[in-house]
Amino acid sequence: MNAPLNLFATVPKRSARAPVAPFLPMSRAEMAKLGWDECDIILVTGDAYIDHPSFGMALVGRLLEAQGFRVGIISQPDWQSADAFRALGKPRLYFGITAGNMDSMVNRYTSDRKIRSDDAYTPNGEPNKRPDRAVSVYAHRAREAFPGTPVIIGSIEASLRRIAHYDYWSDKVRKSVLIDSKADLLIFGNAERALVDLTHRMAKGEDIKSIKDLRGTAFLVPQGWLPSEEWGVHNSTRVDVPGRIDAHPDPYAMAKEDKAACATENAAPEPTVKPIRIMSREERQAMAREKHNRTVVRLPSYDTVSTDPVMYAHASRVFHLESNPGNARALVQQHGDRDVWINPPPLPLAMDEMDGVYDMNYARAPHPAYGNARIPAWEMIRFSVNIMRGCFGGCTFCSITEHEGRIIQSRSEPSILREIEHIRDKTKGFTGTISDLGGPTANMYRLACKEKTIEDSCRRLSCVYPSICSNLGTDHSKLIQLYRKARAIPGVKKILIGSGLRYDLAVRSPEYVKELVTHHVGGLLKIAPEHTETNVLSKMMKPGIGAYDEFKAMFEKFSLEAGKKQYLIPYFIAAHPGTSDEDMLNLALWLKKNNFRLDQVQTFMPTPMAMATTMYHSRRNPLKKVTDDSEVVETPRTAKVRKAHKAFLRYYDPANWPILRETLKAMGRGDLIGNGEKHLIPAWTPGEENMTAAPEGKRAMPTLAPGMQRGARPGQQPAAGRAVPPARGGRPNALTGSVTARETVETRARPSILDTIKVKPKTAPKPAAKGRR
């Protein structure tokens, strides 16, 4: 691979004909104002064009602009014909194609494969402004518009589909997106360095088909192609099974003498004697590294993984083990008569490069063409600051590691503080509150392996599972210092943390938890235990629920010391691979015991390339060695079971009671159905959505449903994570904090699991003053 290029080491000065523009052009009229007769590069994106570093097309566009190139943007084109792709004319160098900040299938469909009613990356949230599998559709239209123009694909949709992958929406294994899109090159992961190098080389006249040495790129080659004769192939097309055993030769067997052979040997010249060379340890290691770097790992072919789930799981495991930029080898996978060649992942950006990327001349606003249209994604991030990239958590259901890598890339403190000042001074509507300082996680800023040599040689899939690695630095002091300096900026009233918190790391630094809880929580803090059951958590590569309990204790302690009433908002996933009905029931009981009433819940969605997706498709566990008889991972697949698992997360919702009753009875847990305080759901009949119907022959609760306060509207629920205070005259439920009008008769077939849960009785709070809520 080529030596890493520093992005901003030699940025050329801009020519007089290409002055800095507030926005990159989206029309010929805007090009004319800049004095351009053509664009060097045209970026096509499925998102609205917002000139902000959180949006990929803006970041890439400004990066290439800083290198002296003229960049135009075609945003959310009409893909029904090639006309929209001719709007800016023919690019001098290439089309750059992206589906946008999200995979187009995830953007357009729910986990139940139903079309979404809105699109956060489109003006006014309007749906259907991008096609299914947008990367391939856009690439074909761009090629149709200007045949012969190079097409480069990238961003998350292309990145996660670079090899044969299971596609949840068609329920089959699809070929690499390179095959479907017919693109000349795919750039995956953090693409800045490869993109800058590639563009300069093409500008100098180099043919894109000859550029095959850039890290973080993938391309099609003839079957069996190798960069040179010095390269070797490591064949990984079989699962780990014993090889053929050859019979041992019989040492007593008499062999006939072959006189012809002896004569030939006697006539042969004397062999050349070579002196033995004693090599130093460093020389041997250098030779081993050189051999390693010139070895490509052959994955099982598309034809194999598309029909054999076990081989699919094996390929997934091999792929993920070759993901550390410090030791990853190139990968190759056969697709028919061609191979998809994937170079090792890109090297992480250095801090000064990260600063350069985020310090560029962004307008920090949507393009004026959208007028006053509201773009939900922009509303969400316009007062937030991205301080880092990557995640070493390795959660199997998440694609961040596969896309951004597990080595944290952080910006410098001055760069982050400058951006906060830019938001204060330039972003319309700023009232003094920064909504987030974070990234993929809230608290991995500047965390890294203690030794670079260890980091480069590591092949762990996660730095924090099954336990936090002893070589991982967990000191949060630099993040604490950043928080303190950020909130001291004049004009900044409040800085909130909106990114998900990795609480198993946070508890290693009580000072950080105190700083966070005291100054940066706006009443609610999001964290993601994801589940309570060890069996499921092991398939997620998430810590046990004990880590949550430890953090919760710290959170409550420091909230009390700060004199604040603050709440944790936990996130959970239903129907994850490895989850049984019993696992979801136990989670529901835990939620009820801890007075959690979740509002927004999610059902597992298998996204391309994620290891949990491999479990879903293959029913094998790629976290361990894969064989024909390795661990089987059963996964909820039918719509009915997935719906029931999601219903367990919202056990309090009357709409979910019918399916939960059916599920509990099928599980033999009818003892959890009833109107007692230790039942999970009530034994009510149709009409319960109006909170009035009761089982025949019984007097149930006509005035108050579980979780309702007196005076509340039907369907009105308390905020997630908050216990409902008991009203006067009612009796508080020891498990839920809700109120029942009177005691009810409990009828149970057998003792309930809730009988084993010990809960400290809650003290009823004093009635609120009249007129207050």
Side-chain angles (χ1 to χ4, degrees):
M1 296 297 103
N2 61 324
L5 167 78
N6 188 296
L7 293 177
F8 298 95
T10 56
V11 175
K13 294 182 179 179
R14 298 185 56 82
S15 63
R17 66 186 178 90
V20 176
F23 290 88
L24 300 173
M26 290 178 60
S27 67
R28 288 290 192 120
E30 291 174 83
M31 288 173 59
K33 288 181 180 179
L34 296 171
W36 297 1
D37 54 356
E38 67 175 355
C39 293
D40 297 320
I41 302 109
I42 294 177
L43 303 178
V44 182
T45 175
D47 293 342
Y49 170 33
I50 299 173
D51 200 55
H52 185 279
S54 290
F55 294 82
M57 90 297 293
L59 187 151
V60 168
R62 291 302 189 187
L63 175 67
L64 292 172
E65 179 191 50
Q67 300 289 325
F69 297 105
R70 295 169 296 180
V71 184
I73 288 185
I74 298 177
S75 170
Q76 297 188 316
D78 179 0
W79 67 92
Q80 303 299 331
S81 73
D83 293 342
F85 295 79
R86 299 187 180 102
L88 301 182
K90 181 180 179 180
R92 183 174 68 89
L93 297 177
Y94 60 82
F95 275 108
I97 306 292
T98 168
N101 275 20
M102 292 178 65
D103 184 288
S104 61
M105 302 303 288
V106 177
N107 180 283
R108 298 200 68 224
Y109 295 92
T110 69
S111 59
D112 296 325
R113 299 190 178 99
K114 296 179 180 178
I115 194 78
R116 295 188 191 274
S117 59
D118 57 5
D119 182 343
Y121 292 88
T122 300
N124 296 319
E126 189 176 347
N128 302 318
K129 287 296 185 179
R130 73 187 79 214
D132 289 356
R133 302 180 178 88
V135 163
S136 294
V137 175
Y138 290 163
H140 283 291
R141 288 304 189 198
R143 188 86 72 186
E144 181 183 347
F146 296 105
T149 301
V151 173
I152 300 169
I153 58 176
S155 195
I156 193 163
E157 180 169 317
S159 185
L160 298 184
R161 296 171 183 267
R162 56 189 184 264
I163 62 171
H165 55 279
Y166 173 73
D167 183 82
Y168 172 64
W169 299 271
S170 58
D171 194 25
K172 67 178 184 180
V173 176
R174 296 181 67 93
K175 296 178 181 178
S176 165
V177 70
L178 274 167
I179 300 291
D180 290 342
S181 67
K182 296 181 172 58
D184 295 286
L185 192 72
L186 184 157
I187 302 182
F188 61 88
N190 299 298
E192 289 94 344
R193 191 179 287 120
L195 193 60
V196 168
D197 199 347
L198 171 75
T199 308
H200 279 298
R201 289 167 67 173
M202 290 182 67
K204 293 176 181 178
E206 197 168 343
D207 187 348
I208 190 173
K209 296 188 182 301
S210 67
I211 302 176
K212 293 179 165 60
D213 59 345
L214 294 175
R215 296 184 71 108
T217 61
F219 41 84
L220 293 172
V221 293
Q223 186 180 344
W225 177 87
L226 293 173
S228 70
E229 294 180 356
E230 299 174 347
W231 277 71
V233 179
H234 175 75
N235 197 328
S236 180
T237 58
R238 297 186 304 120
V239 294
D240 300 317
V241 295
R244 181 171 62 90
I245 300 177
D246 295 323
H248 292 288
D250 184 353
Y252 300 102
M254 298 298 292
K256 293 183 179 180
E257 183 179 5
D258 187 347
K259 294 183 179 180
C262 292
T264 303
E265 291 174 4
N266 290 334
E270 287 290 326
T272 303
V273 178
K274 294 183 179 180
I276 297 176
R277 182 184 171 206
I278 306 300
M279 300 179 67
S280 66
R281 180 171 177 267
E282 290 73 18
E283 288 176 314
R284 291 196 305 273
Q285 289 177 337
M287 287 186 64
R289 283 194 298 270
E290 185 67 19
K291 181 179 179 181
H292 178 92
N293 293 336
R294 294 183 182 277
T295 298
V296 60
V297 178
R298 179 165 288 279
L299 299 172
S301 68
Y302 163 75
D303 289 338
T304 299
V305 300
S306 63
T307 57
D308 187 339
V310 174
M311 291 302 296
Y312 183 95
H314 168 69
S316 175
R317 176 170 173 80
V318 173
F319 175 88
H320 284 87
L321 288 174
E322 298 292 339
S323 61
N324 181 351
N327 59 53
R329 294 169 289 185
L331 301 171
V332 66
Q333 186 178 51
Q334 181 183 349
H335 285 63
D337 60 353
R338 290 182 293 176
D339 283 342
V340 172
W341 182 283
I342 305 170
N343 280 330
L347 297 174
L349 297 184
M351 183 174 285
D352 62 332
E353 292 176 308
M354 283 283 287
D355 289 351
V357 166
Y358 285 90
D359 286 347
M360 291 185 296
N361 185 36
Y362 298 100
R364 297 184 177 276
H367 191 278
Y370 303 122
N372 295 323
R374 178 180 177 273
I375 304 175
W378 164 243
E379 298 296 326
M380 182 175 66
I381 64 91
R382 63 176 175 162
F383 302 131
S384 67
V385 181
N386 195 335
I387 65 175
M388 45 77 69
R389 285 183 188 171
C391 179
F392 49 67
C395 300
T396 62
F397 53 82
C398 179
S399 300
I400 291 174
T401 301
E402 285 87 346
H403 182 56
E404 293 190 358
R406 64 184 180 90
I407 296 175
I408 303 303
Q409 303 161 76
S410 300
R411 297 169 61 185
S412 71
E413 191 178 88
S415 174
I416 295 167
L417 299 179
R418 279 196 300 272
E419 182 167 356
I420 294 174
E421 292 174 344
H422 283 313
I423 292 173
R424 178 197 63 190
D425 299 337
K426 300 178 181 180
T427 305
K428 184 179 179 181
F430 181 68
T431 59
T433 299
I434 297 295
S435 60
D436 188 24
L437 286 182
T441 61
N443 61 317
M444 289 186 184
Y445 177 70
R446 299 189 70 172
L447 299 188
C449 192
K450 295 176 181 177
E451 293 289 341
K452 181 63 176 173
T453 54
I454 296 175
E455 179 182 82
D456 287 345
S457 61
C458 181
R459 292 175 70 83
R460 281 182 58 159
L461 297 175
S462 170
C463 298
V464 292
Y465 184 87
S467 61
I468 297 176
C469 180
S470 59
N471 294 307
L472 178 67
T474 59
D475 179 13
H476 285 55
S477 61
K478 291 183 175 64
L479 186 55
I480 294 171
Q481 178 177 291
L482 174 64
Y483 286 176
R484 291 172 179 171
K485 290 186 177 181
R487 65 175 185 262
I489 294 176
V492 174
K493 301 175 183 177
K494 185 79 173 179
I495 292 182
L496 302 175
I497 303 303
S499 299
L501 187 77
R502 189 77 194 201
Y503 54 86
D504 52 341
L505 281 174
V507 296
R508 292 288 187 96
S509 179
E511 184 184 2
Y512 169 75
V513 178
K514 183 175 183 178
E515 189 80 13
L516 174 75
V517 171
T518 304
H519 300 286
H520 302 285
V521 176
L524 304 175
L525 180 67
K526 297 184 296 184
I527 58 173
E530 309 297 3
H531 217 282
T532 57
E533 304 307 291
T534 304
N535 170 57
V536 184
L537 292 170
S538 68
K539 304 302 186 296
M540 297 177 170
M541 289 210 298
K542 291 284 289 186
I545 200 66
Y548 164 82
D549 293 333
E550 186 178 357
F551 178 79
K552 181 174 180 288
M554 280 191 184
F555 180 87
E556 292 175 344
K557 174 179 180 289
F558 294 131
S559 292
L560 183 64
E561 290 178 1
K564 296 182 176 182
K565 291 184 178 180
Q566 301 182 140
Y567 304 90
L568 293 176
I569 303 298
Y571 282 74
F572 296 93
I573 296 179
H576 190 276
T579 308
S580 65
D581 293 346
E582 288 75 15
D583 293 327
M584 290 307 302
L585 170 59
N586 288 336
L587 173 53
L589 296 175
W590 184 90
L591 290 171
K592 186 169 185 179
K593 174 186 175 182
N594 287 278
N595 307 309
F596 282 125
R597 296 191 164 214
L598 308 181
D599 183 20
Q600 295 181 342
V601 300
Q602 56 182 329
T603 307
F604 169 70
M605 178 188 289
T607 53
M609 205 176 288
M611 298 193 84
T613 301
T614 297
M615 298 179 198
Y616 177 90
H617 169 62
S618 69
R619 293 182 169 87
R620 291 295 190 277
N621 185 0
L623 301 179
K624 303 176 183 178
K625 186 172 73 171
V626 177
T627 64
D628 288 322
D629 58 354
S630 60
E631 178 188 4
V632 175
V633 181
E634 290 299 340
T635 302
R637 299 177 70 87
T638 66
K640 183 176 181 180
V641 174
R642 286 166 64 85
K643 183 178 179 181
H645 282 207
K646 185 176 182 179
F648 273 119
L649 293 179
R650 290 174 57 87
Y651 63 89
Y652 61 88
D653 186 347
N656 291 326
W657 292 341
I659 191 171
L660 288 179
R661 289 194 194 103
E662 181 182 349
T663 304
L664 289 172
K665 289 175 182 177
M667 296 170 63
R669 296 313 311 268
D671 58 298
L672 293 174
I673 304 172
N675 299 328
E677 65 181 49
K678 291 187 177 180
H679 292 113
L680 181 64
I681 57 173
W684 292 356
T685 52
E688 61 198 6
E689 64 274 6
N690 296 319
M691 312 299 176
T692 56
E696 186 177 348
K698 290 188 179 181
R699 297 177 63 192
M701 299 163 274
T703 56
L704 289 174
M708 290 292 294
Q709 298 182 48
R710 294 183 184 277
R713 298 184 302 275
Q716 178 182 346
Q717 301 295 344
R722 302 191 189 189
V724 182
R728 286 173 288 179
R731 184 173 62 84
N733 185 309
L735 286 169
T736 64
S738 63
V739 181
T740 55
R742 58 183 64 83
E743 286 197 50
T744 56
V745 178
E746 298 181 21
T747 56
R748 292 176 292 180
R750 57 190 178 90
S752 167
I753 192 172
L754 286 170
D755 290 338
T756 65
I757 301 178
K758 297 179 180 179
V759 181
K760 185 178 180 180
K762 299 197 182 311
T763 303
K766 296 180 180 179
K770 186 175 181 179
R772 295 176 57 194
R773 293 186 63 85

